[in-house]
Amino acid sequence: MLFAAVVPAHATVTLDVGHVDGVWVTVANGNVNWTVGDHNGGGTTERDPADVLLRAKPETETVVGASPKPACLGTPGNPVWILPQIQNENLLWLGWNGESIGTGVLVNNDITLTINAASNVRPPSGSGGVLCVYKKVGLTTTKLFDSSASFPQSTTFKSDSTGHTHVNWAFTASGTWAVDFTVTATPVGGGSAQSVTKTLTFSVD
């Protein structure tokens, strides 16, 4: 998928619909960085995660099925809020992306995405819940991140056309979530690996 030129943005914004890459990885002058890539409105608007609130609207609420996969979705019958892997024009379609970098820029074209912490900083009541990030391909479900397990947790993707990934982001409690991510990659000819850590903030209604 091709993207138009990146447009810088500085204003605080709530994103609750359309195509957004929560981790949009770039390399400029040998420096690895990541921002939020907002693909709404044509082109790509690159936003500082500190200026973005990612919103799971009330329409994302459903209930856990009889045989939850993965198990971090929680108890059958309990509520869960899911930003879906498959695009729904009325909801936020959230993923991560390194394909704009292209091949031959990073060693092995590898990008490692690590979750360091995930917490519901303002739960409405009771338990803060669990963040469960997973991907479904056919009958196969792959758990990528589970905030009920120990941190850090990592997954690896490529800086090519395969490096654009959309997943299911499931929250077992509403509230305001802060999720700390680190992107690590090594530019070709750039010596040691570079790591960049930032926080994505979610409002789960």
Side-chain angles (χ1 to χ4, degrees):
M1 183 175 182
L2 298 177
F3 298 94
V6 171
V7 178
H10 304 288
T12 300
V13 63
T14 296
L15 300 177
D16 61 6
V17 69
H19 183 190
V20 175
D21 289 315
V23 179
W24 170 265
V25 187
T26 57
V27 178
N29 300 316
N31 297 312
V32 176
N33 192 29
W34 68 273
T35 54
V36 174
D38 179 1
H39 308 303
N40 295 300
T44 298
T45 301
E46 195 171 346
R47 303 184 185 276
D48 186 333
D51 297 335
V52 175
L53 183 65
L54 302 168
R55 182 178 177 228
K57 298 193 291 185
E59 296 92 319
T60 64
E61 184 179 356
T62 183
V63 296
V64 179
S67 300
K69 292 183 179 181
C72 55
L73 287 172
T75 304
N78 280 1
V80 63
W81 291 255
I82 301 177
L83 294 173
Q85 172 183 333
I86 304 301
Q87 187 171 18
N88 178 329
E89 297 291 345
N90 298 314
L91 303 176
L92 181 63
W93 190 40
L94 188 66
W96 51 75
N97 197 331
E99 69 175 323
S100 69
I101 298 170
T103 59
V105 178
L106 300 175
V107 172
N108 298 322
N109 302 314
D110 281 345
I111 302 168
T112 299
L113 180 62
T114 301
I115 184 171
N116 308 295
S119 59
N120 192 346
V121 295
R122 281 195 291 273
S125 62
S127 169
V130 172
L131 168 62
C132 181
V133 180
Y134 62 100
K135 186 169 186 175
K136 298 187 74 171
V137 179
L139 298 177
T140 302
T141 299
T142 303
K143 181 179 69 175
L144 299 170
F145 301 118
D146 173 5
S147 70
S148 67
S150 59
F151 295 112
Q153 302 167 30
S154 297
T155 188
T156 300
F157 59 102
K158 298 289 186 179
S159 60
D160 59 22
S161 60
T162 70
H164 186 191
T165 302
H166 283 267
V167 296
N168 297 289
W169 303 74
F171 302 84
T172 67
S174 59
T176 301
W177 288 75
V179 185
D180 294 341
F181 281 107
T182 297
V183 165
T184 302
T186 305
V188 170
S192 60
Q194 299 179 23
S195 295
V196 182
T197 300
K198 301 181 184 182
T199 301
L200 293 179
T201 304
F202 294 82
S203 174
V204 180
D205 297 351

